[in-house]
Amino acid sequence: MKKKLTGIIAAVAALALGASLLAGCGGSGGSGSTGAQDGTTRTVEDIQADGKIVIGVFSDKNPFGYVDENGEYQGYDIELARQIGADMGVEVEFVSTEAANRVEYLKTNKVDLILANFTVTPERAEAVDFCEAYMNVALGAVSHKSHVITSLDDVKDEQVIVISGTTAETYLTANYPNIKQQKFDTYAAAKTAFENDKNALWLNDNTEVIAFANADLNEYVVGIESLGNPDTIAPAVAKGNESLLTWINDEMVKLGSQSFFHGAYEKTLLDTYGADYEDTLVVEPGQN
C-alpha cells in the first residue's frame, strides 16, 4: 500500500510539473494569451499575434466615451480606438475605466492603451508614457444659473465637486487647499450630486463643463471658463513599452496628416460644442 501511494503521489507531482512547464512556454501574446489582462506588457507584435488590442475607455462620459442605448461604445475617443485597431489589423476590446484607475490599469497591464480623455501632466508622465496629443484642454467650472460662481476666491461653504484622479482634484489641492472637495469616483455620481445641489460648483475639464452647460442652457452656465495652464489630451501606454509607444506615435502623425481628428470632431463633438470650438480644441498631430 505504501509503495502504491508513493507511486500515485509521484505521478501527480509529474503531471503538475508538466502543466507548469507548458504554461511557462506560452508567450505574452500568442495563441494562449488572455490579452492585456494576463499581467504582462505587450509589444505590437504580441498584440498582433493575439489579434486583439485592449483599450481602456470611459463608458459614461458622452461625447468622449460612452455606451449607447444599443450597448455599443461611442464617442470621440472611441473613433480613435477603432481606427487604431483597424490600422493595426486587430480587433478592439474595450475595458471601462474611471479617471482614478487609468494609471493603475496601465501599470498592472489590464489594458494595452488608455484612450479616456487623459490629460498630460508631469506627474502622470512619471508613471505612464504619453503619446502624441490630439486635443487641447483646460480646467473650467459649471454652476447653476441661480447661483453662479465666477471665481474660486468666492467659494465659501459651497460644495465643490471633483472626480477623483483628475487634474481638477490636483489643481484644487495645490492652489486652493482650504476649499473642501467633494470627491466622486464616477462621472455619473458627480453629475447627480451637482444636479441635486443648486449651490454647488463642478470643477472639471473645460470641454466637459461646456458640454454639460450646453445640454441645458436654461439651468447651467460655465461661470469659470479657464483655470491654470492649458494642457493637452493624449493616448497613454505602460511605462517603457517602446514598441507600442512608437507605433501609436507613428499612427497619430499619419492620422494627423489626414485631418482625422477634425473628422472625428465633426462626427462626435460638433453637436455638443459647435463649429466655433473646433480649431481651438482639435490637435492634428504633426500638423500643429
Side-chain angles (χ1 to χ4, degrees):
M1 176 66 72
K2 183 175 180 180
K3 288 183 178 179
K4 185 175 181 180
L5 181 60
T6 301
I8 291 173
I9 293 172
V12 171
L15 286 171
L17 177 60
S20 175
L21 289 172
L22 284 172
C25 290
S28 61
S31 59
S33 172
T34 58
Q37 293 92 331
D38 65 3
T40 58
T41 300
R42 305 197 303 166
T43 66
V44 174
E45 290 75 16
D46 293 330
I47 293 167
Q48 289 176 326
D50 190 45
K52 175 181 67 179
I53 184 168
V54 184
I55 303 180
V57 297
F58 286 132
S59 60
D60 63 351
K61 198 163 290 186
N62 188 353
F64 295 97
Y66 65 99
V67 176
D68 67 14
E69 63 275 10
N70 298 316
E72 298 291 330
Y73 279 92
Q74 305 291 351
Y76 186 68
D77 289 338
I78 308 304
E79 290 294 307
L80 175 56
R82 290 196 171 111
Q83 190 63 49
I84 286 171
D87 290 345
M88 192 178 284
V90 297
E91 294 181 2
V92 176
E93 177 182 325
F94 293 114
V95 172
S96 177
T97 184
E98 305 296 347
N101 295 334
R102 291 174 295 191
V103 171
E104 176 193 349
Y105 278 17
L106 286 174
K107 280 187 170 183
T108 58
N109 299 300
K110 184 170 183 177
V111 301
D112 300 305
L113 178 69
I114 286 286
L115 284 175
N117 213 224
F118 207 6
T119 303
V120 179
T121 69
E123 295 78 17
R124 289 170 177 169
E126 293 179 1
V128 304
D129 283 337
F130 283 105
C131 309
E132 293 281 344
Y134 60 99
M135 195 168 193
N136 293 313
V137 70
L139 289 177
V142 61
S143 303
H144 291 261
K145 275 196 169 182
S146 59
H147 188 77
V148 180
I149 296 175
T150 58
S151 172
L152 292 179
D153 294 328
D154 297 333
V155 172
K156 296 180 176 63
D157 299 325
E158 291 87 357
Q159 181 177 210
V160 179
I161 294 171
V162 299
I163 300 173
S164 299
T166 62
T167 51
E169 178 188 16
T170 304
Y171 178 83
L172 281 179
T173 301
N175 297 282
Y176 291 87
N178 293 328
I179 289 181
K180 184 178 179 181
Q181 302 177 44
Q182 300 296 320
K183 302 179 184 180
F184 297 89
D185 290 334
T186 68
Y187 183 89
K191 176 178 179 289
T192 299
F194 176 68
E195 289 173 338
N196 291 336
D197 186 343
K198 299 297 183 182
N199 293 325
L201 179 72
W202 188 2
L203 189 66
N204 210 331
D205 288 350
N206 64 350
T207 50
E208 294 173 16
V209 300
I210 291 168
F212 189 88
N214 284 353
D216 191 349
L217 293 172
N218 293 321
E219 178 64 29
Y220 308 109
V221 62
V222 179
I224 304 174
E225 292 189 354
S226 182
L227 286 166
N229 297 320
D231 292 308
T232 56
I233 290 170
V237 302
K239 196 72 176 175
N241 190 348
E242 294 295 332
S243 171
L244 187 55
L245 178 67
T246 299
W247 193 96
I248 296 294
N249 278 338
D250 290 344
E251 171 78 349
M252 297 292 283
V253 171
K254 183 192 81 173
L255 293 177
S257 70
Q258 300 168 356
S259 297
F260 170 86
F261 295 95
H262 276 82
Y265 179 99
E266 290 164 11
K267 181 176 179 180
T268 63
L269 303 183
L270 187 64
D271 288 346
T272 300
Y273 299 108
D276 290 344
Y277 279 104
E278 183 169 352
D279 289 334
T280 300
L281 296 177
V282 173
V283 174
E284 297 286 2
Q287 307 303 307
N288 298 79

